[in-house]
Amino acid sequence: MKAQYVMAGVAALLVAGAAQAQTPVPVPAPAPAASAAPARPAGSPAVLSPVVVYDLGSLIQDSLAGQDMSNKLKAIRDQINRELEPDQRQLESELRAILSSSVQESQSAAGRQRQEAFQRLNNEFQQKQERLSQVMQLTERNAIDAFNKAIAPALQQTLVARNGLIAISANQVEAFIPGVDMTADLITRLNATTKTINVVRATVPTQGGAAAPAAAPAAGAPAGAPLPARPPAAAPKRP
């Protein structure tokens, strides 16, 4: 009876240790950037205003450049998950084999060595998973920086065309009338000039063989969003 309790305790520890191995890589799932209000309805007349707004979520979701960036980020995310699949399958297979062994086998010297080897493999997998998660996060931050730079000319041109002085991301505004939303105009102008964004898989520098901690997300970034919900660099005032 005592041996059965020991075996049950070992199984519980192994299941807990493998829980991370059975979970997909913790990289943010695709989701549009948050915004405080919808884009200007079709047919809503533009209103002359020194302050105009634009919806960053719609800009990413509906513009050709934003769609290109999102597709490339998804491809990198899928690639990272594929890199983890062999290790995950190996851990799951080894765990099933250990749990199916008899009490005598699990308490033998060979059984204990097998359990210790499993724990080492599981720890290595968790480290790899964390490192690749950091790679994905850095890739996303680099992509949004490239997106910000790419849309800056169109943002400035649209601001001038609307006779505005200041452009503000809609998710930073509590309320506004539809006529001051220049999102549709900005998407049209951006589609005419920029259709792709350069997205490259990042590398995470290591310190002493371990992955360096990932930088903190941008302030105000929604949890789980693929891109920090921050507006592009503020355009200078129109001369």
Side-chain angles (χ1 to χ4, degrees):
M1 181 64 69
K2 182 177 179 181
Q4 292 178 349
Y5 285 128
V6 172
M7 183 58 184
V10 171
L13 288 174
L14 291 173
V15 170
Q20 188 71 16
Q22 297 171 344
T23 305
V25 59
V27 292
S35 61
R40 173 164 53 92
S44 178
V47 175
L48 292 180
S49 169
V51 179
V52 290
V53 302
Y54 61 96
D55 186 339
L56 181 59
S58 295
L59 188 60
I60 293 174
Q61 181 177 334
D62 299 332
S63 70
L64 296 177
Q67 293 169 1
D68 176 73
M69 177 181 64
S70 297
N71 290 337
K72 289 174 179 175
L73 286 173
K74 181 181 182 301
I76 295 174
R77 185 179 295 107
D78 292 343
Q79 181 187 56
I80 287 176
N81 281 320
R82 286 194 299 270
E83 292 175 12
L84 289 169
E85 286 176 359
D87 296 331
Q88 182 173 330
R89 287 196 298 267
Q90 179 186 5
L91 281 171
E92 292 172 348
S93 176
E94 183 64 12
L95 177 61
R96 286 192 295 268
I98 291 174
L99 293 179
S100 65
S101 62
S102 67
V103 174
Q104 290 76 14
E105 290 173 337
S106 66
Q107 291 180 335
S108 67
R112 290 193 297 269
Q113 289 175 358
R114 187 174 191 178
Q115 294 165 23
E116 292 171 357
F118 172 84
Q119 291 292 0
R120 287 194 297 270
L121 287 175
N122 188 42
N123 291 338
E124 291 172 0
F125 175 76
Q126 292 183 37
Q127 292 173 3
K128 180 178 181 180
Q129 191 179 46
E130 175 62 22
R131 178 178 60 80
L132 291 177
S133 176
Q134 294 174 11
V135 167
M136 191 67 225
Q137 292 172 22
L138 182 57
T139 300
E140 289 168 344
R141 286 196 291 272
N142 292 342
I144 194 61
D145 286 343
F147 185 77
N148 287 339
K149 293 178 182 178
I151 71 172
L155 180 62
Q156 173 69 16
Q157 293 165 9
T158 308
L159 177 65
V160 172
R162 292 291 296 265
N163 290 319
L165 299 178
I166 300 174
I168 302 176
S169 178
N171 67 326
Q172 296 180 331
V173 181
E174 292 186 2
F176 55 85
I177 61 173
V180 302
D181 185 352
M182 70 173 192
T183 304
D185 298 339
L186 179 55
I187 291 174
T188 298
R189 192 178 297 273
L190 182 62
N191 285 346
T193 59
T194 307
K195 297 177 175 59
T196 62
I197 299 295
N198 184 33
V199 178
V200 179
R201 176 169 167 167
T203 57
V204 176
T206 59
Q207 297 176 350
L227 302 170
R230 62 183 183 185
K237 293 184 179 180
R238 181 170 56 86

